[in-house]
């Protein structure tokens, strides 16, 4: 029996491959370093969706249609947002996305991809007593997300940093949220139903819910003043060290290096640079402490550690980090849903019953 379905192949896909031993991520034939910082997010959206929609346009038109989708999502859901804003920001975003049509068209797909980028800034603004900022359908996707967050045009460097982050997390093999998405898609449910399953799985702290606690950890270590002592104390209490270890990677997560470079480009001599220097010290201390405390396990830096610094620098509060993760990953979910619907069958594994049996009467 495979607990947690370890090493069980549940799907064939053209979308991405995670090499856990080599520390490599391949997305539709491209290595992550070939995409991150070189392709923008709409280009990667088109790459992921290629072959799954008969009317998929070229890069420029797809970017324009994604911009129009942001405008349409905002107009459609604006009146509902005050009712959703009292919820935690992730639950509110998920509830807003549940109001989108549950169709199968490219328009439906682009609406779902646009929705987290629109809903997250709008909900954050409402929660701090400000009015939502309407999207600019002509702007670049990541830049528009930042403009909707603080009401001003972001610097090119900041927009490029967020764009690189969205590309970096766009797809990652058959992780929990992608598998949940494919299970629902295998029933021939619509794209919204499938994506909502992914959103539910991503909320958990063992999946997309971990970058926020990385910030809390860094703040706690800074206040404590002794990184090694704080980390050893957490391990002694049986707590997880956030930002380290991965279910698949037995070496350093390649996405961590991409995002560390993004933070370094943003850093300079300002607060982001000081934050990076401190995080690097904590990272090296944590790796040393973990090697000693858990020598039987390979616990390396994962994507969450530097995700926290990128999103903090971009101005997102830690409680919204999973929202931004979803804003990047939703393109992968949509692509996996379409792949499952067009090439797969109903996912229906077996379980082994280990409970009590009824008494059999002779």
């Amino acid at each position: 029996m495979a607990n947690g379905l370890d090493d069980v192949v549940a799907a064939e896909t053209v979308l991405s491959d995670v090499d856990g031993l080599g520390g490599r991520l391949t997305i539709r034939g491209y290595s992550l370093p070939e995409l991150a910082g070189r392709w923008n997010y709409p280009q990667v959206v088109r790459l992921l969706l290629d072959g799954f929609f008969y009317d998929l346009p070229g890069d420029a038109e797809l970017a324009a249609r994604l911009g129009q989708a942001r405008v349409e999502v905002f107009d459609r859901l604006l009146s509902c947002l005050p009712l959703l804003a009292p919820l935690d920001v992730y639950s509110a975003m998920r509830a807003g996305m549940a109001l989108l049509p549950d169709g199968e068209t490219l328009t439906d797909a682009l609406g779902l991809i646009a929705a987290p980028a629109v809903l997250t800034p709008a909900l954050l603004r409402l929660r701090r007593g400000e009015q939502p900022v309407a999207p600019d359908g002509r702007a670049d996707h990541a830049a528009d997300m930042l403009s909707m967050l603080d009401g001003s045009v972001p610097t090119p460097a900041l927009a490029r940093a967020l764009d690189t982050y969205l590309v970096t997390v766009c797809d990652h093999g058959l992780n929990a949220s992608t598998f949940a998405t494919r299970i629902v898609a295998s029933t021939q449910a619509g794209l919204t139903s499938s994506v909502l399953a992914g959103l539910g799985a991503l909320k958990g702290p063992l999946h997309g819910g971990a970058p926020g606690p990385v910030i809390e950890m860094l703040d706690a270590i800074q206040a404590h003043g002794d990184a090694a002592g704080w980390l050893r104390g957490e391990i002694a209490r049986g707590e997880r060290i956030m930002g380290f270890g991965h279910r698949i990677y037995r070496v350093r997560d390649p996405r961590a290096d991409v995002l560390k470079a993004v933070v370094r480009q943003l850093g300079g001599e300002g607060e982001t640079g000081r934050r990076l220097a401190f995080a690097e010290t904590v990272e090296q201390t944590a790796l040393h402490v973990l090697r000693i405390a858990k020598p039987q396990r390979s616990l390396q830096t994962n994507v969450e550690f530097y995700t926290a610094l990128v999103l903090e620098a971009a101005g997102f509060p830690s409680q919204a980090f999973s929202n931004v993760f979803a804003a990047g990953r939703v393109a992968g979910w949509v692509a996996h849903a379409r792949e499952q619907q067009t090439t797969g069958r109903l996912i229906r594994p077996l379980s082994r019953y280990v409970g009590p049996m009824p008494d059999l009467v002779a």
Side-chain angles (χ1 to χ4, degrees):
M1 176 179 177
N3 273 330
L5 300 181
D6 288 356
D7 301 322
V8 173
V9 175
E12 291 187 344
T13 182
V14 301
L15 293 168
S16 64
D17 177 66
V18 181
D19 179 353
L21 295 179
R24 289 183 291 270
L25 171 60
T26 301
I27 299 173
R28 297 210 80 159
Y30 295 88
S31 69
L32 178 61
E34 289 180 293
L35 296 177
R38 300 170 184 265
W39 293 46
N40 65 30
Y41 186 65
Q43 288 175 316
V44 173
V45 168
R46 188 188 183 283
L47 177 68
L48 289 169
L49 300 186
D50 189 24
F52 300 127
F53 294 94
Y54 73 90
D55 55 344
L56 190 70
D59 287 344
E61 184 181 343
L62 186 120
R65 288 190 61 177
L66 184 57
Q68 181 60 33
R70 293 195 301 273
V71 173
E72 291 172 358
V73 167
F74 184 84
D75 291 344
R76 182 185 188 96
L77 299 181
L78 179 61
S79 63
C80 305
L81 296 184
L83 297 175
L84 302 179
L87 300 172
D88 71 81
V89 69
Y90 191 89
S91 296
M93 178 192 72
R94 183 176 54 184
M97 292 177 69
L99 300 174
L100 296 176
D102 199 16
E104 302 289 348
T105 69
L106 179 60
T107 297
D108 296 321
L110 293 177
L112 286 165
I113 293 168
V118 172
L119 291 172
T120 300
L123 290 163
L124 288 172
R125 290 182 67 86
L126 283 170
R127 288 169 64 86
R128 60 184 188 232
E130 300 170 348
Q131 288 302 304
V133 173
D136 177 358
R138 299 164 298 178
D140 291 336
H141 187 73
D144 200 25
M145 189 174 180
L146 292 170
S147 294
M148 287 185 279
L149 181 65
D150 70 6
S152 62
V153 177
T155 65
L158 199 57
R160 188 163 53 250
L162 180 59
D163 186 84
T164 301
Y165 171 74
L166 297 176
V167 169
T168 299
V169 300
C170 70
D171 198 45
H172 197 252
L174 199 58
N175 55 78
S177 59
T178 298
F179 188 40
T181 298
R182 289 189 75 122
I183 289 171
V184 174
S186 79
T187 71
Q188 298 296 312
L191 289 174
T192 298
S193 293
S194 303
V195 166
L196 289 172
L199 284 167
L202 190 71
K203 188 178 183 183
L206 297 186
H207 192 12
V214 169
I215 291 294
E216 296 168 9
M217 178 183 75
L218 292 174
D219 289 343
I221 291 173
Q222 193 162 34
H224 186 274
D226 176 8
W230 189 93
L231 291 162
R232 282 193 290 265
E234 290 294 292
I235 293 170
R237 286 188 290 274
E239 301 292 336
R240 293 179 66 240
I241 304 302
M242 293 300 183
F244 297 88
H246 193 275
R247 184 68 171 266
I248 302 298
Y249 291 118
R250 294 297 174 260
V251 295
R252 187 179 176 85
D253 188 332
R255 299 169 297 175
D257 287 328
V258 169
L259 297 181
K260 183 175 181 178
V262 168
V263 181
R264 180 170 286 116
Q265 290 166 5
L266 285 174
E269 300 300 321
E271 179 58 31
T272 300
R274 289 189 289 273
R275 188 68 149 168
L276 173 61
F278 177 69
E280 288 178 314
T281 299
V282 171
E283 178 188 18
Q284 293 307 311
T285 303
L287 291 172
H288 176 72
V289 168
L290 288 167
R291 276 195 299 270
I292 294 173
K294 299 180 181 292
Q296 74 283 8
R297 299 182 62 189
S298 178
L299 297 171
Q300 303 294 322
T301 311
N302 65 36
V303 67
E304 294 153 357
F305 191 80
Y306 286 104
T307 284
L309 270 66
V310 172
L311 300 187
E312 182 182 58
F316 291 98
S318 61
Q319 65 266 28
F321 285 0
S322 292
N323 293 55
V324 190
F325 196 130
R329 182 57 58 83
V330 67
W333 290 336
V334 169
H336 276 275
R338 290 295 295 151
E339 184 178 53
Q340 184 66 40
Q341 289 168 334
T342 56
T343 65
R345 57 180 299 181
L346 178 67
I347 297 174
R348 177 58 172 89
L350 299 176
S351 60
R352 178 181 289 112
Y353 178 68
V354 295
M357 297 297 292
D359 293 332
L360 299 179
V361 178

